[in-house]
């Protein structure tokens, strides 16, 4: 026997505020705790400019500074990403950023599923040392990779972690973070207004910050807003990684679907 629970009925005062919409849509909005016209408009028609300042993310300033320094010195950078539906799109976003600013001294590294397993590992650090990498940027992983980050530090390889997973906590509830030039993660600290970003979205925010700061420093001519072309990857990752389709995620997916329809990527066209 199946038991059904009848949803709460839409209050008259909320219906009056949402009277621009069909009654069925009013009810659906109310069940999502949307009770004003402004909230409804933001939910139904997201605006790209409502995305948050990327520099509010934990240690974003340090991450941008280190990457721009690497670009100026032509250091070898490794983009390390997991092999899942969030890590790979995020790696594409950062790959496309470097290509767009004509920076060639980088590689993409995806760990072997069977021989290396999931996440940033000491195996990867050893291999990247052999490749003479100066800077590793992780995507969708690394917040809990204390051992791998420590090994990289011993080998004088800087690490920037971009991730969205929860950190390990000490016995007294303090986050235990790996040794890194920066740990960019919306779940660390309390400066970023939205903690539901997926890994690809976090690295997308990194590219936003890099473009803004790089233009200020006249390092490259890429203009703010160019990163929108990479939202096809962010939209796919956000949906596939099953993070909440609310807040900033809703904006990224809304525009990601628009870019997806126009995407020049042969794989996505097919």
């Amino acid at each position: 026997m199946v038991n059904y629970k009848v949803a709460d009925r839409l209050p008259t005062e909320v219906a009056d505020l949402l009277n621009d919409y069909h009654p069925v849509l009013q009810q659906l909005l109310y069940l999502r705790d949307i009770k004003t016209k402004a909230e409804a408009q933001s939910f139904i028609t997201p605006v790209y400019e409502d995305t948050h300042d990327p520099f509010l993310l934990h240690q974003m300033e340090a991450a941008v500074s280190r990457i721009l320094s690497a670009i100026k010195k032509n250091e070898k950078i490794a983009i390390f990403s997991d092999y899942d539906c969030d890590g790979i799109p995020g790696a594409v976003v950062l790959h496309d950023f470097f290509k767009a600013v004509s920076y060639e001294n980088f590689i993409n590294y995806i760990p072997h599923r069977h021989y290396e397993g999931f996440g940033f590992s000491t195996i990867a650090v050893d291999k990247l040392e052999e490749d003479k990498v100066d800077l590793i940027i992780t995507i969708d992983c690394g917040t809990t990779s204390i051992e791998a980050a420590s090994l990289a530090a011993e080998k004088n390889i800087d690490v920037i972690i971009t991730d969205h997973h929860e950190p390990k906590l000490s016995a007294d509830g303090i986050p235990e973070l790996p040794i890194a030039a920066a740990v960019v993660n919306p779940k660390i600290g309390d400066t970023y207004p939205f903690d539901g970003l997926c890994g690809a979205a976090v690295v997308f925010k990194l590219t936003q910050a890099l473009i803004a700061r790089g233009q200020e420093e006249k390092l490259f001519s890429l203009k703010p807003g160019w990163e929108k072309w990479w939202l096809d990857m962010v939209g796919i990752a956000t949906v596939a990684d099953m993070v909440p389709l609310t807040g900033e995620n809703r904006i990224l997916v809304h525009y990601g679907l628009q870019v997806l329809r126009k995407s020049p990527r042969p794989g996505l066209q097919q």
Side-chain angles (χ1 to χ4, degrees), residues 136-192:
I136 301 169
I137 305 172
T138 74
I139 296 170
D140 189 34
C141 62
T143 299
T144 60
S145 302
I146 310 290
E147 186 181 0
S150 296
L151 180 62
E154 287 174 22
K155 295 176 181 292
N156 294 315
I157 302 172
D158 282 343
V159 176
I160 291 172
I161 287 163
T162 73
D163 196 4
H164 70 126
H165 295 101
E166 296 281 357
K168 290 179 179 176
L169 298 178
S170 64
D172 49 2
I174 298 171
E176 293 183 351
L177 300 181
I179 298 170
V183 180
V184 182
N185 186 329
K187 289 192 171 71
I188 298 173
D190 56 3
T191 54
Y192 201 72

Side-chain angles (χ1 to χ4, degrees), residues 60-229:
M60 178 64 87
E61 191 73 58
V64 169
S65 177
R66 181 63 187 89
I67 294 169
L68 293 184
S69 173
I71 290 173
K72 291 171 189 173
K73 296 175 183 176
N74 195 38
E75 293 180 311
K76 188 168 185 179
I77 299 172
I79 301 171
F80 180 99
S81 67
D82 271 327
Y83 43 74
D84 65 6
C85 60
D86 191 9
I88 290 177
V92 172
V93 170
L94 196 51
H95 167 281
D96 287 1
F97 164 78
F98 285 132
K99 287 293 187 180
V101 299
S102 301
Y103 191 74
E104 299 294 337
N105 196 14
F106 76 94
I107 59 172
N108 280 79
Y109 185 104
I110 299 173
H112 192 288
R113 180 185 294 264
H114 300 298
Y115 302 129
E116 295 176 63
F118 210 63
F120 184 42
S121 68
T122 55
I123 297 172
V125 172
D126 286 334
K127 288 184 178 180
L128 293 172
E129 182 191 28
E130 291 174 10
D131 280 340
K132 300 190 179 342
V133 164
D134 301 295
L135 173 64
I136 301 169
I137 305 172
T138 74
I139 296 170
D140 189 34
C141 62
T143 299
T144 60
S145 302
I146 310 290
E147 186 181 0
S150 296
L151 180 62
E154 287 174 22
K155 295 176 181 292
N156 294 315
I157 302 172
D158 282 343
V159 176
I160 291 172
I161 287 163
T162 73
D163 196 4
H164 70 126
H165 295 101
E166 296 281 357
K168 290 179 179 176
L169 298 178
S170 64
D172 49 2
I174 298 171
E176 293 183 351
L177 300 181
I179 298 170
V183 180
V184 182
N185 186 329
K187 289 192 171 71
I188 298 173
D190 56 3
T191 54
Y192 201 72
F194 182 71
D195 70 356
L197 297 176
C198 70
V202 174
V203 82
F204 175 79
K205 302 303 291 189
L206 174 62
T207 63
Q208 276 187 319
L210 285 166
I211 291 170
R213 189 53 47 79
Q215 193 185 40
E216 282 175 20
E217 296 186 16
K218 297 184 170 46
L219 273 181
F220 34 77
S221 59
L222 211 60
K223 295 218 170 18
W226 182 269
E227 74 278 358
K228 291 179 187 176
W229 285 109

